[in-house]
Amino acid sequence: MPSVDPSTNLPTDPGTFEGSAFDAPPDAVRPRNEERLQKILAAAGLGSRRNCERMIDEGKVTVNGKEATLGDKADAVQDVIHVNGSRLVTDTRMVYLALNKPAGVVSTMDDDKGREALADYVPNISTRVFHVGRLDLESEGLLLLMNDGGLAHKLMHPSYEVAKTYQVEIAGPVPRAMGRELKAGITLEDGPAKVDSFKVVTAYGKVALVEVVLHEGRNHIVRRMFDAVGFPVQRLIRTQIGPIRLGDLRPGRTRHLSQAEIGALFKAVGE
């Protein structure tokens, strides 16, 4: 049995979890259900069948790594389809959501202590979803929820170095050396840590808002780094995971990711 990360309930080795919530047992025989490729593309929202035929004819579509030609068929569930180099999700059962987690919500699907949890903010869907990463109880902002366990695990695994962006409210004024110190790296109790970038967004009076980008995923990493430099976090909002931005999504609301955003997530992990 592969080892499991208790915070995500997913295997610690990204190579051991490649499927989705709909996966059959590994030794199961999966019957293929093939359709004309242009019909699959059109159903995925890429335009009319004629427009999809044109994309195939222009060499913009691949199926399982091979350039498609007019007349090809594919299985929308089992085959891997790319359009213009971006992964296209054609399995209509797949769910990819962005959630703006409010403060006070636990980053688990349910909570045995009766606190508000992620399931309280997920629209009615009939499949189990995985949450990408965690935000501590009082932190806010972007979480991704999906029933694609393979993609979820890769987005969380440190070897893929998917960057995350945070807005951090701290006491002002901000020392000039803070950014250099955080980018150079500081030593925490569980090892060194550093940010990829640092900038002051606003600074007024005794309050400052800074933005940091890092690809670390350790527990409370942002809060611990700012504690280490003597500026405890007053408010923490995650605004971006890889290519996905929080934007104007209101606290407590979810939205479905677009095909372009889903493709960008696959590209971020090399697929």
Side-chain angles (χ1 to χ4, degrees):
M1 292 287 290
S3 60
V4 173
D5 182 343
S7 69
T8 63
N9 200 34
L10 293 172
T12 53
D13 176 3
T16 64
F17 197 99
E18 297 296 340
S20 74
F22 300 105
D23 265 8
D27 58 350
V29 176
R30 305 184 187 194
R32 289 182 62 80
N33 181 23
E34 294 187 337
E35 297 179 288
R36 292 279 186 181
L37 185 55
Q38 60 266 35
K39 180 179 178 181
I40 294 173
L41 300 181
L46 293 191
S48 67
R49 291 194 192 181
R50 179 163 295 184
N51 183 58
C52 294
E53 289 172 354
R54 186 179 304 113
M55 288 190 290
I56 296 169
D57 194 40
E58 292 173 351
K60 296 178 178 179
V61 182
T62 64
V63 179
N64 300 327
K66 180 181 177 181
E67 184 176 313
T69 59
L70 283 175
D72 283 354
K73 292 185 176 182
D75 185 316
V77 173
Q78 297 190 46
D79 290 330
V80 176
I81 300 172
H82 286 77
V83 178
N84 289 323
S86 292
R87 176 78 172 266
L88 181 70
V89 175
T90 53
D91 185 347
T92 57
R93 302 171 302 172
M94 302 307 294
V95 175
Y96 301 85
L97 300 169
L99 165 69
N100 186 347
K101 185 190 92 67
V105 175
V106 183
S107 286
T108 57
M109 293 311 295
D110 52 60
D111 182 62
D112 56 10
K113 297 179 181 178
R115 296 172 294 182
E116 281 193 306
L118 301 180
D120 297 314
Y121 294 89
V122 177
N124 292 328
I125 54 176
S126 58
T127 178
R128 176 192 179 192
V129 293
F130 309 98
H131 55 283
V132 176
R134 301 172 68 88
L135 287 170
D136 61 55
L137 186 65
E138 293 308 318
S139 295
E140 310 164 49
L142 182 62
L143 278 174
L144 301 180
L145 303 165
M146 58 187 69
N147 56 1
D148 188 333
L151 177 60
H153 190 72
K154 289 179 180 180
L155 289 168
M156 288 185 285
H157 200 278
S159 65
Y160 291 92
E161 298 189 344
V162 177
K164 303 170 187 67
T165 303
Y166 299 85
Q167 288 194 348
V168 188
E169 185 179 292
I170 57 175
V174 179
R176 290 186 176 182
M178 180 186 288
R180 292 195 300 271
E181 186 175 2
L182 289 173
K183 287 191 287 186
I186 54 179
T187 301
L188 303 176
E189 64 273 15
D190 55 352
K194 65 179 181 178
V195 302
D196 301 331
S197 68
F198 174 97
K199 72 175 181 180
V200 177
V201 178
T202 58
Y204 47 92
K206 296 182 179 180
V207 178
L209 184 66
V210 302
E211 180 182 273
V212 295
V213 178
L214 64 160
H215 57 266
E216 289 265 11
R218 285 178 277 169
N219 285 343
H220 310 294
I221 186 70
V222 176
R223 292 184 183 275
R224 291 192 289 133
M225 291 177 72
F226 278 87
D227 281 344
V229 296
F231 283 78
V233 171
Q234 298 177 358
R235 187 181 183 191
L236 181 64
I237 304 172
R238 183 158 63 199
T239 59
Q240 190 167 346
I241 298 174
I244 309 302
R245 298 178 182 272
L246 181 64
D248 58 2
L249 187 63
R250 293 167 56 189
R253 297 294 182 90
T254 61
R255 68 174 180 84
H256 288 271
L257 300 186
S258 68
Q259 279 283 3
E261 288 176 314
I262 297 167
L265 283 176
F266 277 103
K267 187 169 289 187
V269 297
E271 294 189 17

